[in-house]
Amino acid sequence: MPINYGSDTGKGFYKEEDLSIFLKAVESSIIKAPVKNNNKVFLSDLWVISSLPMDLIIEVLKKYKDELTVPEDIEEIYDDKHNEIVWKK
């Protein structure tokens, strides 16, 4: 079953929201996140700061990787649960 981001219309379907509305929230959480060793930001920190679902954060990072505004000291965003790099400069 696909994940629906948006609001229930009450008519049996969801009004889907464009992922770009979540881009600013993800960028804001990246700015607020602590920078760990080797200039990494952990995905779990972004989740705690933004309260967005992890799969939504990953989807936004992958879709808008070229448009993402990230501070210069951050080299990568690391998924510490699955041990993989989600975004890299």
Coordinates of all heavy atoms in Angstrom, one line a residue:
M1 N 0.8 -1.2 0.0 CA 0.0 0.0 0.0 C 0.9 1.2 0.0 O 1.8 1.4 0.8 CB -0.9 0.0 1.2 CG -1.8 1.1 1.3 SD -3.0 0.8 2.7 CE -4.3 1.9 2.1
P2 N 0.7 2.2 -0.9 CA 1.5 3.4 -1.0 C 1.3 4.3 0.2 O 0.2 4.3 0.8 CB 1.1 4.0 -2.3 CG -0.3 3.5 -2.5 CD -0.4 2.1 -1.9
I3 N 2.3 5.0 0.5 CA 2.2 6.0 1.6 C 1.6 7.3 1.0 O 2.0 7.8 0.0 CB 3.6 6.3 2.2 CG1 4.2 5.0 2.8 CG2 3.5 7.4 3.3 CD1 5.6 5.1 3.2
N4 N 0.6 7.8 1.7 CA -0.1 9.0 1.3 C 0.3 10.2 2.2 O 0.0 10.1 3.4 CB -1.6 8.9 1.2 CG -2.0 7.9 0.2 OD1 -1.6 7.9 -0.9 ND2 -2.9 7.0 0.6
Y5 N 0.9 11.2 1.6 CA 1.2 12.4 2.4 C 0.2 13.4 2.0 O 0.1 13.8 0.8 CB 2.7 12.9 2.1 CG 3.7 11.9 2.5 CD1 4.5 11.3 1.5 CD2 3.9 11.5 3.8 CE1 5.4 10.4 1.8 CE2 4.9 10.6 4.1 CZ 5.6 10.0 3.1 OH 6.6 9.1 3.4
G6 N -0.5 13.9 2.9 CA -1.5 14.9 2.5 C -2.7 14.8 3.4 O -2.6 14.2 4.5
S7 N -3.8 15.3 3.0 CA -5.0 15.3 3.9 C -6.1 14.4 3.3 O -6.3 14.3 2.1 CB -5.5 16.7 4.1 OG -5.8 17.3 2.8
D8 N -6.8 13.7 4.2 CA -8.0 12.9 3.9 C -9.1 13.8 3.4 O -9.5 14.7 4.2 CB -8.4 12.0 5.1 CG -9.4 11.0 4.7 OD1 -10.0 11.0 3.6 OD2 -9.7 10.1 5.5
T9 N -9.6 13.6 2.3 CA -10.7 14.5 1.7 C -12.0 14.1 2.3 O -13.0 14.8 2.1 CB -10.7 14.4 0.2 OG1 -11.0 13.1 -0.2 CG2 -9.4 14.9 -0.4
G10 N -12.1 12.9 2.9 CA -13.4 12.4 3.4 C -14.2 11.7 2.3 O -15.3 11.2 2.5
K11 N -13.6 11.6 1.1 CA -14.3 11.0 -0.1 C -13.6 9.8 -0.5 O -13.8 9.3 -1.7 CB -14.4 12.0 -1.2 CG -15.1 13.3 -0.9 CD -15.1 14.3 -2.0 CE -15.8 15.6 -1.6 NZ -15.7 16.6 -2.6
G12 N -12.9 9.2 0.4 CA -12.2 7.9 0.0 C -10.9 8.0 -0.6 O -10.3 7.0 -1.0
F13 N -10.3 9.2 -0.7 CA -9.0 9.4 -1.3 C -8.3 10.5 -0.6 O -8.9 11.3 0.1 CB -9.0 9.6 -2.8 CG -9.7 10.9 -3.2 CD1 -9.0 12.0 -3.4 CD2 -11.1 10.9 -3.4 CE1 -9.7 13.2 -3.8 CE2 -11.8 12.0 -3.8 CZ -11.1 13.2 -4.0
Y14 N -7.0 10.6 -0.7 CA -6.1 11.6 -0.1 C -5.8 12.6 -1.2 O -5.5 12.3 -2.3 CB -4.9 11.0 0.4 CG -5.0 10.4 1.8 CD1 -5.5 9.1 1.9 CD2 -4.7 11.0 2.9 CE1 -5.7 8.5 3.1 CE2 -4.9 10.5 4.2 CZ -5.4 9.2 4.3 OH -5.5 8.6 5.5
K15 N -5.8 13.9 -0.7 CA -5.2 15.0 -1.6 C -3.7 15.0 -1.4 O -3.3 15.3 -0.3 CB -5.8 16.3 -1.2 CG -5.3 17.5 -1.9 CD -5.8 18.8 -1.4 CE -5.1 19.9 -2.1 NZ -5.4 21.2 -1.4
E16 N -3.0 14.6 -2.4 CA -1.5 14.5 -2.2 C -0.9 15.9 -2.2 O -1.3 16.7 -3.0 CB -0.9 13.6 -3.3 CG -1.3 12.2 -3.2 CD -0.5 11.3 -4.1 OE1 0.6 11.7 -4.5 OE2 -1.0 10.2 -4.4
E17 N 0.1 16.0 -1.4 CA 0.9 17.3 -1.3 C 2.2 17.1 -2.1 O 2.8 16.0 -2.1 CB 1.2 17.6 0.1 CG 0.0 17.8 1.0 CD -0.8 19.1 0.7 OE1 -0.3 19.9 0.0 OE2 -2.0 19.1 1.1
D18 N 2.6 18.1 -2.7 CA 3.9 18.1 -3.4 C 5.0 18.0 -2.4 O 5.0 18.7 -1.4 CB 4.0 19.3 -4.3 CG 5.3 19.3 -5.2 OD1 5.7 18.2 -5.6 OD2 5.8 20.4 -5.5
L19 N 6.0 17.2 -2.7 CA 7.2 17.0 -1.7 C 7.9 18.3 -1.5 O 8.6 18.5 -0.5 CB 8.1 16.0 -2.3 CG 7.7 14.5 -2.1 CD1 8.8 13.6 -2.7 CD2 7.5 14.2 -0.7
S20 N 7.8 19.3 -2.4 CA 8.6 20.6 -2.2 C 8.1 21.3 -0.9 O 8.9 22.1 -0.4 CB 8.4 21.5 -3.4 OG 7.0 21.9 -3.6
I21 N 6.9 21.1 -0.4 CA 6.5 21.7 0.8 C 7.3 21.3 2.0 O 7.4 21.9 3.0 CB 5.0 21.6 1.1 CG1 4.6 20.2 1.3 CG2 4.2 22.2 -0.1 CD1 3.2 20.0 1.8
F22 N 7.9 20.1 1.9 CA 8.7 19.5 3.0 C 10.1 19.9 2.9 O 10.9 19.7 3.8 CB 8.5 18.0 3.0 CG 7.1 17.5 3.3 CD1 6.4 17.0 2.2 CD2 6.5 17.7 4.5 CE1 5.1 16.5 2.4 CE2 5.2 17.3 4.7 CZ 4.5 16.7 3.7
L23 N 10.6 20.4 1.8 CA 12.0 20.8 1.5 C 12.5 21.8 2.6 O 13.5 21.6 3.1 CB 12.2 21.3 0.1 CG 13.6 21.7 -0.3 CD1 14.5 20.5 -0.2 CD2 13.6 22.3 -1.7
K24 N 11.7 22.8 2.8 CA 12.2 23.8 3.8 C 12.3 23.2 5.2 O 13.2 23.6 6.0 CB 11.2 25.0 3.8 CG 11.4 25.9 2.6 CD 12.8 26.6 2.6 CE 13.0 27.4 1.4 NZ 14.3 27.8 1.2
A25 N 11.4 22.4 5.6 CA 11.4 21.7 6.9 C 12.7 20.9 7.0 O 13.3 20.9 8.1 CB 10.2 20.9 7.1
V26 N 13.0 20.1 6.0 CA 14.2 19.3 6.0 C 15.5 20.2 6.0 O 16.4 19.9 6.8 CB 14.3 18.4 4.8 CG1 15.6 17.6 4.7 CG2 13.1 17.3 4.8
E27 N 15.5 21.2 5.2 CA 16.7 22.2 5.3 C 16.8 22.8 6.6 O 17.9 22.9 7.1 CB 16.5 23.2 4.2 CG 16.7 22.8 2.8 CD 16.5 23.8 1.8 OE1 15.7 24.8 2.0 OE2 17.0 23.7 0.6
S28 N 15.7 23.2 7.2 CA 15.8 23.8 8.6 C 16.3 22.8 9.6 O 17.1 23.2 10.5 CB 14.4 24.3 8.9 OG 14.4 24.8 10.3
S29 N 15.9 21.6 9.5 CA 16.4 20.6 10.5 C 17.8 20.3 10.3 O 18.6 20.0 11.2 CB 15.5 19.3 10.4 OG 15.6 18.7 9.2
I30 N 18.3 20.3 9.0 CA 19.7 20.1 8.8 C 20.6 21.2 9.4 O 21.6 21.0 10.0 CB 20.0 20.1 7.2 CG1 19.4 18.8 6.6 CG2 21.5 20.1 6.9 CD1 19.4 18.8 5.1
I31 N 20.1 22.5 9.3 CA 20.8 23.6 9.9 C 20.9 23.5 11.4 O 21.9 23.8 12.0 CB 20.1 24.9 9.5 CG1 20.4 25.2 8.0 CG2 20.7 26.1 10.3 CD1 19.5 26.3 7.4
K32 N 19.8 22.9 12.0 CA 19.7 22.8 13.5 C 20.4 21.5 14.0 O 20.7 21.5 15.2 CB 18.3 22.8 13.9 CG 17.5 24.1 13.6 CD 16.1 23.9 14.0 CE 15.3 25.2 13.5 NZ 13.9 25.0 13.6
A33 N 20.7 20.6 13.2 CA 21.2 19.3 13.6 C 22.7 19.4 14.0 O 23.4 20.2 13.4 CB 21.1 18.3 12.5
P34 N 23.0 18.6 15.0 CA 24.5 18.6 15.4 C 25.3 17.9 14.3 O 24.9 16.9 13.7 CB 24.5 17.7 16.7 CG 23.2 16.9 16.6 CD 22.2 17.7 15.8
V35 N 26.5 18.4 14.1 CA 27.4 17.9 13.1 C 28.3 16.9 13.8 O 29.0 17.3 14.7 CB 28.2 19.0 12.4 CG1 29.1 18.4 11.3 CG2 27.2 20.0 11.7
K36 N 28.3 15.6 13.4 CA 29.0 14.6 14.1 C 30.4 14.5 13.4 O 30.8 15.3 12.5 CB 28.3 13.3 14.0 CG 26.9 13.3 14.4 CD 26.8 13.3 15.9 CE 25.3 13.4 16.3 NZ 24.9 12.8 17.5
N37 N 31.2 13.5 13.8 CA 32.5 13.3 13.3 C 32.5 13.2 11.8 O 31.5 12.7 11.2 CB 33.1 12.0 13.9 CG 32.3 10.8 13.8 OD1 31.1 10.9 13.4 ND2 32.9 9.6 14.0
N38 N 33.5 13.6 11.2 CA 33.7 13.6 9.7 C 32.6 14.4 9.0 O 32.2 14.1 7.9 CB 33.8 12.2 9.2 CG 34.9 11.4 9.7 OD1 36.0 11.9 10.0 ND2 34.7 10.1 9.9
N39 N 32.1 15.5 9.6 CA 31.2 16.4 9.0 C 29.9 15.7 8.6 O 29.4 16.0 7.5 CB 31.8 17.2 7.9 CG 32.9 18.0 8.3 OD1 33.0 18.5 9.5 ND2 33.9 18.3 7.5
K40 N 29.4 14.8 9.4 CA 28.1 14.1 9.1 C 27.0 14.6 9.9 O 27.2 15.0 11.1 CB 28.3 12.6 9.5 CG 29.2 11.8 8.6 CD 29.2 10.3 9.1 CE 30.2 9.5 8.4 NZ 30.3 8.1 8.9
V41 N 25.8 14.5 9.4 CA 24.6 14.7 10.1 C 23.8 13.4 10.0 O 23.7 12.8 9.0 CB 23.7 15.9 9.5 CG1 22.3 15.9 10.0 CG2 24.4 17.2 9.6
F42 N 23.3 12.9 11.2 CA 22.6 11.7 11.2 C 21.1 11.9 10.9 O 20.5 12.8 11.3 CB 22.7 11.0 12.5 CG 24.1 10.4 12.8 CD1 24.4 9.9 14.1 CD2 25.1 10.3 11.8 CE1 25.6 9.4 14.3 CE2 26.3 9.8 12.1 CZ 26.6 9.3 13.3
L43 N 20.6 10.9 10.1 CA 19.2 11.0 9.8 C 18.3 10.9 11.0 O 17.2 11.6 11.0 CB 18.8 9.8 8.8 CG 17.4 9.7 8.3 CD1 17.2 11.0 7.4 CD2 17.2 8.5 7.5
S44 N 18.7 10.2 12.0 CA 17.9 10.1 13.2 C 17.8 11.5 13.9 O 16.7 11.8 14.5 CB 18.5 9.1 14.2 OG 19.8 9.4 14.5
D45 N 18.8 12.3 13.8 CA 18.8 13.7 14.4 C 17.8 14.5 13.6 O 17.0 15.3 14.2 CB 20.2 14.3 14.3 CG 21.1 13.7 15.3 OD1 20.7 13.1 16.3 OD2 22.3 13.7 15.0
L46 N 17.8 14.4 12.3 CA 16.8 15.1 11.4 C 15.4 14.7 11.8 O 14.5 15.6 11.8 CB 17.1 14.9 9.9 CG 18.4 15.3 9.4 CD1 18.5 15.1 7.9 CD2 18.7 16.8 9.7
W47 N 15.2 13.5 12.0 CA 13.9 13.0 12.4 C 13.4 13.6 13.7 O 12.3 14.0 13.9 CB 13.9 11.4 12.5 CG 12.7 10.8 13.1 CD1 11.4 10.8 12.5 CD2 12.6 10.2 14.3 NE1 10.6 10.1 13.4 CE2 11.3 9.8 14.5 CE3 13.5 10.0 15.4 CZ2 10.8 9.1 15.6 CZ3 13.0 9.3 16.5 CH2 11.7 8.9 16.6
V48 N 14.3 13.6 14.7 CA 13.9 14.2 16.0 C 13.6 15.7 15.9 O 12.7 16.1 16.5 CB 15.1 13.9 17.0 CG1 14.9 14.7 18.3 CG2 15.2 12.4 17.4
I49 N 14.4 16.4 15.2 CA 14.3 17.8 15.0 C 13.0 18.2 14.3 O 12.2 19.1 14.7 CB 15.5 18.5 14.4 CG1 16.7 18.3 15.3 CG2 15.3 19.9 14.0 CD1 18.0 18.6 14.6
S50 N 12.8 17.5 13.2 CA 11.7 17.9 12.3 C 10.3 17.2 12.6 O 9.3 17.7 12.2 CB 12.0 17.6 10.8 OG 12.1 16.2 10.6
S51 N 10.4 16.0 13.2 CA 9.2 15.2 13.5 C 8.5 14.7 12.2 O 7.4 14.2 12.2 CB 8.1 16.0 14.3 OG 8.7 16.3 15.6
L52 N 9.3 14.8 11.1 CA 8.8 14.2 9.8 C 9.2 12.7 9.8 O 10.2 12.3 10.4 CB 9.4 14.9 8.6 CG 9.1 16.3 8.4 CD1 10.0 16.9 7.3 CD2 7.6 16.5 8.1
P53 N 8.4 11.9 9.2 CA 8.7 10.4 9.0 C 10.1 10.3 8.3 O 10.4 11.0 7.4 CB 7.6 9.9 8.2 CG 6.5 10.8 8.3 CD 7.1 12.2 8.5
M54 N 10.8 9.3 8.7 CA 12.2 9.1 8.1 C 12.1 8.8 6.6 O 12.9 9.3 5.9 CB 12.9 8.0 8.8 CG 13.5 8.3 10.1 SD 14.7 7.1 10.6 CE 15.3 7.8 12.1
D55 N 11.1 8.0 6.2 CA 11.0 7.7 4.8 C 10.7 9.0 4.0 O 11.1 9.1 2.8 CB 10.0 6.6 4.5 CG 8.6 6.9 5.0 OD1 8.5 7.8 5.9 OD2 7.7 6.3 4.6
L56 N 9.9 9.9 4.6 CA 9.6 11.2 3.9 C 10.9 12.0 3.8 O 11.2 12.6 2.7 CB 8.6 12.0 4.6 CG 8.2 13.3 4.1 CD1 7.7 13.3 2.6 CD2 7.2 14.0 5.0
I57 N 11.7 12.1 4.8 CA 13.0 12.8 4.8 C 13.9 12.3 3.7 O 14.5 13.0 2.9 CB 13.6 12.8 6.2 CG1 12.8 13.5 7.2 CG2 15.0 13.5 6.1 CD1 13.3 13.3 8.7
I58 N 14.0 11.0 3.7 CA 14.8 10.3 2.7 C 14.3 10.6 1.3 O 15.1 11.0 0.4 CB 14.9 8.8 2.9 CG1 15.7 8.5 4.2 CG2 15.6 8.1 1.7 CD1 15.6 7.0 4.6
E59 N 13.0 10.6 1.1 CA 12.5 10.9 -0.2 C 12.7 12.3 -0.7 O 13.1 12.6 -1.8 CB 11.0 10.6 -0.2 CG 10.3 10.5 -1.5 CD 8.9 10.1 -1.5 OE1 8.4 9.6 -0.4 OE2 8.2 10.3 -2.5
V60 N 12.6 13.2 0.3 CA 12.9 14.6 0.0 C 14.4 14.8 -0.4 O 14.7 15.5 -1.3 CB 12.5 15.6 1.1 CG1 13.0 17.0 0.9 CG2 11.0 15.6 1.2
L61 N 15.3 14.2 0.4 CA 16.7 14.3 0.2 C 17.1 13.8 -1.2 O 17.9 14.4 -1.8 CB 17.5 13.6 1.3 CG 17.5 14.3 2.7 CD1 18.1 13.4 3.7 CD2 18.1 15.6 2.7
K62 N 16.5 12.7 -1.6 CA 16.9 12.1 -2.8 C 16.3 12.9 -4.0 O 17.0 13.0 -5.0 CB 16.4 10.6 -2.9 CG 17.3 9.8 -2.0 CD 16.9 8.3 -2.1 CE 17.9 7.5 -1.2 NZ 17.6 6.1 -1.2
K63 N 15.1 13.3 -3.9 CA 14.4 14.0 -5.0 C 15.0 15.4 -5.2 O 15.2 15.9 -6.3 CB 12.9 14.2 -4.7 CG 12.2 14.8 -5.9 CD 10.7 14.8 -5.8 CE 10.1 15.4 -7.0 NZ 8.6 15.3 -6.9
Y64 N 15.4 16.1 -4.1 CA 15.8 17.5 -4.2 C 17.3 17.6 -3.9 O 17.8 18.6 -3.4 CB 15.0 18.4 -3.3 CG 13.6 18.5 -3.7 CD1 12.6 17.8 -3.0 CD2 13.2 19.3 -4.8 CE1 11.3 17.9 -3.4 CE2 11.9 19.3 -5.2 CZ 10.9 18.7 -4.5 OH 9.6 18.7 -4.9
K65 N 18.1 16.6 -4.1 CA 19.5 16.6 -3.8 C 20.3 17.7 -4.4 O 21.2 18.2 -3.8 CB 20.2 15.2 -4.1 CG 20.2 14.9 -5.6 CD 20.8 13.5 -5.8 CE 20.6 13.2 -7.3 NZ 20.9 11.8 -7.6
D66 N 19.9 18.1 -5.6 CA 20.7 19.2 -6.2 C 20.2 20.6 -5.8 O 20.9 21.6 -5.9 CB 20.5 19.1 -7.8 CG 21.1 17.8 -8.3 OD1 22.1 17.3 -7.7 OD2 20.6 17.3 -9.3
E67 N 19.0 20.7 -5.3 CA 18.4 22.0 -4.9 C 18.6 22.2 -3.4 O 18.3 23.3 -2.9 CB 16.9 22.0 -5.2 CG 16.7 21.8 -6.7 CD 15.2 21.6 -7.0 OE1 14.4 22.1 -6.3 OE2 14.9 20.9 -8.0
L68 N 19.1 21.3 -2.7 CA 19.1 21.3 -1.2 C 20.2 22.3 -0.8 O 21.3 22.4 -1.2 CB 19.5 19.9 -0.7 CG 19.3 19.6 0.8 CD1 17.8 19.7 1.1 CD2 19.8 18.3 1.1
T69 N 19.8 23.2 0.2 CA 20.7 24.2 0.7 C 21.2 23.6 2.1 O 20.5 23.5 3.0 CB 20.0 25.5 1.0 OG1 19.4 26.0 -0.2 CG2 20.9 26.6 1.5
V70 N 22.5 23.4 2.1 CA 23.2 22.7 3.2 C 24.4 23.6 3.6 O 25.1 24.1 2.8 CB 23.6 21.3 2.9 CG1 24.3 20.6 4.0 CG2 22.5 20.5 2.4
P71 N 24.6 23.8 4.9 CA 25.8 24.5 5.4 C 27.1 23.9 4.8 O 27.1 22.7 4.6 CB 25.7 24.4 6.9 CG 24.3 24.2 7.2 CD 23.8 23.4 6.1
E72 N 28.1 24.7 4.6 CA 29.3 24.2 4.0 C 30.1 23.2 4.8 O 30.8 22.4 4.2 CB 30.2 25.4 3.7 CG 29.6 26.4 2.7 CD 30.6 27.0 1.8 OE1 31.8 26.6 1.8 OE2 30.1 27.8 1.0
D73 N 29.9 23.2 6.1 CA 30.7 22.2 6.9 C 30.1 20.8 6.9 O 30.7 19.9 7.4 CB 30.8 22.7 8.4 CG 29.5 22.9 9.1 OD1 28.5 23.1 8.4 OD2 29.4 22.8 10.3
I74 N 28.9 20.6 6.3 CA 28.3 19.3 6.3 C 28.6 18.6 5.0 O 28.3 19.2 3.9 CB 26.7 19.4 6.5 CG1 26.4 20.0 7.9 CG2 26.1 18.1 6.3 CD1 25.0 20.3 8.1
E75 N 29.2 17.5 5.1 CA 29.6 16.7 3.9 C 28.6 15.7 3.5 O 28.5 15.3 2.3 CB 31.0 16.1 4.1 CG 32.1 17.0 4.3 CD 32.5 17.8 3.1 OE1 32.3 17.3 2.0 OE2 32.8 19.0 3.2
E76 N 27.9 15.1 4.5 CA 27.0 14.0 4.1 C 25.9 13.8 5.2 O 26.1 14.3 6.3 CB 27.7 12.7 3.9 CG 28.4 12.1 5.1 CD 29.2 10.8 4.8 OE1 29.9 10.8 3.8 OE2 29.0 9.9 5.6
I77 N 24.8 13.2 4.8 CA 23.7 12.9 5.7 C 23.7 11.4 5.7 O 23.6 10.7 4.7 CB 22.4 13.5 5.3 CG1 22.5 15.0 5.3 CG2 21.3 13.0 6.2 CD1 21.3 15.8 4.7
Y78 N 23.8 10.8 6.9 CA 24.0 9.4 7.1 C 22.8 8.8 7.8 O 22.4 9.3 8.8 CB 25.3 9.2 7.9 CG 25.7 7.8 8.1 CD1 26.3 7.1 7.0 CD2 25.6 7.1 9.3 CE1 26.7 5.8 7.2 CE2 26.0 5.8 9.4 CZ 26.5 5.1 8.4 OH 26.9 3.8 8.5
D79 N 22.3 7.7 7.3 CA 21.2 6.9 7.9 C 21.9 5.9 8.9 O 22.4 4.9 8.5 CB 20.4 6.2 6.8 CG 19.2 5.4 7.4 OD1 19.1 5.3 8.6 OD2 18.4 4.9 6.6
D80 N 21.9 6.3 10.1 CA 22.5 5.5 11.2 C 21.8 4.3 11.5 O 22.4 3.4 12.1 CB 22.8 6.4 12.4 CG 21.6 7.2 12.9 OD1 20.9 7.7 12.0 OD2 21.4 7.4 14.1
K81 N 20.5 4.1 11.1 CA 19.8 2.9 11.4 C 20.1 1.8 10.3 O 20.3 0.7 10.7 CB 18.3 3.2 11.3 CG 17.4 2.0 11.6 CD 16.0 2.4 11.7 CE 15.1 1.2 12.0 NZ 13.7 1.5 11.9
H82 N 20.3 2.2 9.1 CA 20.5 1.3 8.0 C 22.0 1.3 7.5 O 22.3 0.7 6.5 CB 19.6 1.6 6.8 CG 18.2 1.3 7.1 ND1 17.3 2.4 7.3 CD2 17.5 0.2 7.4 CE1 16.1 1.9 7.6 NE2 16.2 0.6 7.7
N83 N 22.8 2.1 8.2 CA 24.2 2.2 7.8 C 24.5 2.5 6.4 O 25.2 1.8 5.7 CB 25.0 1.0 8.3 CG 25.0 0.8 9.8 OD1 25.0 1.7 10.5 ND2 24.8 -0.5 10.2
E84 N 23.9 3.6 5.9 CA 24.1 4.0 4.5 C 24.1 5.5 4.4 O 23.4 6.2 5.2 CB 23.1 3.4 3.6 CG 21.7 3.8 3.8 CD 20.7 3.1 2.9 OE1 21.1 2.1 2.2 OE2 19.5 3.5 2.8
I85 N 24.7 6.0 3.4 CA 24.7 7.5 3.1 C 23.5 7.8 2.3 O 23.3 7.2 1.2 CB 26.0 7.9 2.3 CG1 27.3 7.6 3.2 CG2 26.0 9.3 2.0 CD1 28.6 7.7 2.5
V86 N 22.7 8.8 2.8 CA 21.5 9.2 2.1 C 21.8 10.3 1.1 O 21.2 10.4 0.0 CB 20.4 9.6 3.1 CG1 19.2 10.1 2.4 CG2 20.1 8.5 4.1
W87 N 22.7 11.2 1.5 CA 23.0 12.4 0.7 C 24.5 12.7 0.9 O 25.0 12.6 2.0 CB 22.2 13.6 1.2 CG 22.5 14.9 0.4 CD1 22.0 15.3 -0.7 CD2 23.5 15.9 0.8 NE1 22.5 16.5 -1.1 CE2 23.5 16.9 -0.1 CE3 24.3 16.0 1.9 CZ2 24.3 18.0 -0.1 CZ3 25.1 17.1 2.0 CH2 25.1 18.1 1.0
K88 N 25.2 13.1 -0.2 CA 26.6 13.4 -0.1 C 26.9 14.6 -1.0 O 26.3 14.7 -2.1 CB 27.4 12.2 -0.4 CG 28.9 12.4 -0.2 CD 29.7 11.2 -0.3 CE 31.1 11.4 0.1 NZ 31.8 10.3 0.7
K89 N 27.7 15.5 -0.5 CA 28.1 16.7 -1.3 C 28.8 16.3 -2.5 O 29.6 15.4 -2.6 CB 29.0 17.6 -0.5 CG 28.5 19.0 -0.5 CD 29.3 19.8 0.4 CE 28.4 20.8 1.0 NZ 29.1 21.8 1.8

